[in-house]
Amino acid sequence: MSEIKYNWTREEILEIYHQPFLELVYQAAKVHREFHNPREVQISTLLSIKTGGCPEDCAYCPQAARYHADIEKNDLMSVEQVKAQALRAKSSGSSRVCMGAAWRNVEDGPEFDQVLDMVRTINSLDMEVCCTLGMLTENQAQRLAEAGLYAYNHNLDSSEEYYKEIISTRGWEDRLETLGNVRKTNVTVCSGGIIGMGEKIEDRAGMLVALSSLSPHPESVPINALVSVEGTPMEEQEAIPIWDMVRMVATTRIVLPSTTVRLSAGRTEMSQEGQAFCFMAGAGSIFAGDKLLTTPNPDVNEDMNLFKTLGLIPMKPFAKGAKPTPLTPEEMTAAAKERKHWSRPGHRIDKNVEAAKEANKKRKKTR
Ligand code: SAM
Ligand code: DTB
Ligand code: SF4
């Protein structure tokens, strides 16, 4: 029976990854059923609230100002625009909106205040709100929590060694620090990476060693297949075989049993049969909508037809954790002075991990 483990070694993970393919999928499917309802898939919608012009040098990213990808740059969206897009996403079955900004880090000031307003607005629509805004201080993480943020996405992207080959403008330690700052709040952690950037399989395993050493494990782990964009240093990178994606999803599922594994970027290159294998192997979430941040994604109708064919159903919002209760601006000011409110109702740190541990205990007793 699967245990939640924080000390996976690279060798153990490689052994899982390299199993005969169908054995691996079978094992992952079994673990998936221990911790998750295999028919439910969570649907997130991405919204690029500030696009392009980023000062970082992430070699995969079309939004880095120093490369020359043909994308439409945009300043920060208005709260009204965000609300309209969130309502559209909700009506097409999405339970979460993930707002991405092409920032190195969050700066305090009117733009961050506007993002906090966006968080409050989406939360009031009874949708889960996620942000990916770059590096965060502890105080900024707390302010996002107070506004009702449900999840924060900040990816490790690859192994510590390969990370250095793809990004030089900020370090691996910086990423861990931001994840640590998010963990100090009641916001859930979403952190994963990209495969197909020229890394070795050892690097994929190395990334999973790092993610699984975080305690508690991230509540969600996006697995992206590189979308190679013209104008970026990775423009000539060949698409990975679907088998690699399925293996990575399955291995992630086994190593992080209670985590939601998100089948993220790169789905336009995958057949529906390939995606079906990913769901079998434990993918429990997708990004829906015809655009990711700047690159294309499958059409929503296509996704809904696939759900129908496979008997999958969109997960309801807050199925895995209570809705955060945002504070009023006055309460936020008072809280900022005191910083005592972290155990307020709706606090859900580790709820799924605790539930998984309980399930484990019960199983052990009956063995
Ligand atoms: N600027 C913020 C940051 O880097 O933390 C947030 C936005 S950034 C675009 C979010 C994530 O998208 C990256 O960490 C990376 O994993 C993923 N990503 C970006 N470009 C990608 C690409 N071309 N293919 C696959 N994933 C990509
Ligand atoms: C994540 O891991 N993947 C999403 C989300 N987190 C923010 C982003 C994928 C971006 C793909 C490239 C683009 O569309 O710009
Ligand atoms: Fe900037 Fe994020 Fe793109 Fe890196 S991944 S260049 S930080 S937008």
Side-chain angles (χ1 to χ4, degrees):
M1 280 297 173
S2 321
E3 255 185 279
I4 309 271
K5 254 180 72 166
Y6 299 93
N7 59 351
W8 287 98
T9 64
R10 206 175 273 225
E11 292 66 37
E12 286 171 327
I13 294 177
L14 284 170
E15 205 176 310
I16 294 173
Y17 186 99
H18 286 301
Q19 281 179 89
F21 182 80
L22 293 176
E23 276 308 309
L24 172 60
V25 173
Y26 174 65
Q27 198 187 329
K30 270 202 324 189
V31 174
H32 192 48
R33 278 151 184 76
E34 286 176 46
F35 292 87
H36 307 266
N37 176 348
R39 288 200 56 200
E40 281 186 350
V41 172
Q42 191 258 332
I43 303 181
S44 291
T45 297
L46 280 166
L47 209 50
S48 187
I49 56 170
K50 187 267 168 186
T51 312
C54 181
E56 299 296 274
D57 70 349
C58 311
Y60 48 74
C61 188
Q63 302 200 64
R66 68 191 69 203
Y67 309 137
H68 302 287
D70 182 18
I71 58 161
E72 196 186 314
K73 295 193 196 70
N74 278 310
D75 291 340
L76 190 62
M77 278 168 81
S78 70
V79 178
E80 279 315 304
Q81 280 172 318
V82 166
K83 185 175 179 182
Q85 299 272 17
L87 283 169
R88 265 186 54 192
K90 188 177 180 180
S91 68
S92 61
S94 189
S95 62
R96 179 182 292 196
V97 174
C98 177
M99 296 188 281
W103 287 334
R104 169 182 166 75
N105 59 287
V106 170
E107 310 251 357
D108 291 322
E111 290 210 323
F112 184 42
D113 293 344
Q114 196 164 316
V115 173
L116 295 172
D117 268 348
M118 294 172 188
V119 172
R120 276 186 221 101
T121 303
I122 299 174
N123 189 289
S124 74
L125 303 175
D126 283 332
M127 295 185 83
E128 298 170 13
V129 200
C130 174
C131 279
T132 181
L133 312 169
M135 294 184 283
L136 278 186
T137 63
E138 187 180 335
N139 178 264
Q140 290 163 341
Q142 284 173 339
R143 292 182 70 200
L144 283 163
E146 283 159 5
L149 191 72
Y150 188 86
Y152 195 79
N153 168 243
H154 198 62
N155 290 340
L156 292 183
D157 277 343
S158 193
S159 66
E160 185 172 3
E161 302 82 60
Y162 200 67
Y163 180 95
K164 295 189 188 91
E165 307 283 321
I166 50 172
I167 301 163
S168 76
T169 48
R170 64 181 163 177
W172 171 265
E173 286 303 317
D174 298 323
R175 297 255 166 159
L176 290 174
E177 195 177 320
T178 292
L179 294 178
N181 288 338
V182 175
R183 243 325 157 220
K184 288 174 194 155
T185 72
N186 68 343
V187 174
T188 61
V189 169
C190 172
S191 185
I194 309 177
I195 65 170
M197 299 186 292
E199 76 286 344
K200 297 198 184 87
I201 294 173
E202 283 72 11
D203 294 304
R204 298 177 190 169
M207 179 177 90
L208 293 180
V209 169
L211 290 170
S212 62
S213 72
L214 301 174
S215 177
H217 287 167
E219 283 78 0
S220 53
V221 168
I223 303 295
N224 298 276
L226 175 76
V227 182
S228 55
V229 181
E230 216 181 309
T232 67
M234 292 200 174
E235 64 184 2
E236 285 183 6
Q237 203 65 43
E238 271 185 33
I240 46 151
I242 183 66
W243 311 114
D244 283 33
M245 191 64 182
V246 180
R247 280 187 185 277
M248 188 63 187
V249 167
T251 307
T252 308
R253 159 51 52 248
I254 294 166
V255 171
L256 302 159
S258 68
T259 294
T260 298
V261 181
R262 184 167 298 116
L263 178 59
S264 302
R267 288 197 302 119
T268 49
E269 296 294 314
M270 297 174 203
S271 67
Q272 293 216 325
E273 293 83 351
Q275 294 179 56
F277 254 124
C278 291
F279 291 123
M280 189 69 200
S285 171
I286 55 166
F287 286 117
D290 56 7
K291 210 167 175 196
L292 291 163
L293 292 172
T294 63
T295 62
N297 199 40
D299 181 83
V300 181
N301 295 326
E302 251 175 60
D303 281 340
M304 286 307 109
N305 281 336
L306 180 60
F307 271 43
K308 208 166 151 201
T309 306
L310 301 179
L312 298 175
I313 42 176
M315 193 181 283
K316 298 244 169 353
F318 311 110
K320 296 213 162 174
K323 181 179 170 183
T325 42
L327 305 182
T328 62
E330 295 72 34
E331 285 170 331
M332 269 176 81
T333 315
K337 281 188 192 142
E338 286 202 31
R339 295 286 174 223
K340 269 190 197 159
H341 53 281
W342 297 113
S343 57
R344 70 176 192 245
H347 187 88
R348 58 171 191 284
I349 278 195
D350 222 355
K351 199 178 168 213
N352 59 345
V353 175
E354 287 307 326
K357 277 187 186 159
E358 274 307 305
N360 256 343
K361 268 194 221 150
K362 271 193 206 145
R363 258 195 310 278
K364 277 182 193 150
K365 269 193 206 147
T366 53
R367 249 188 262 167

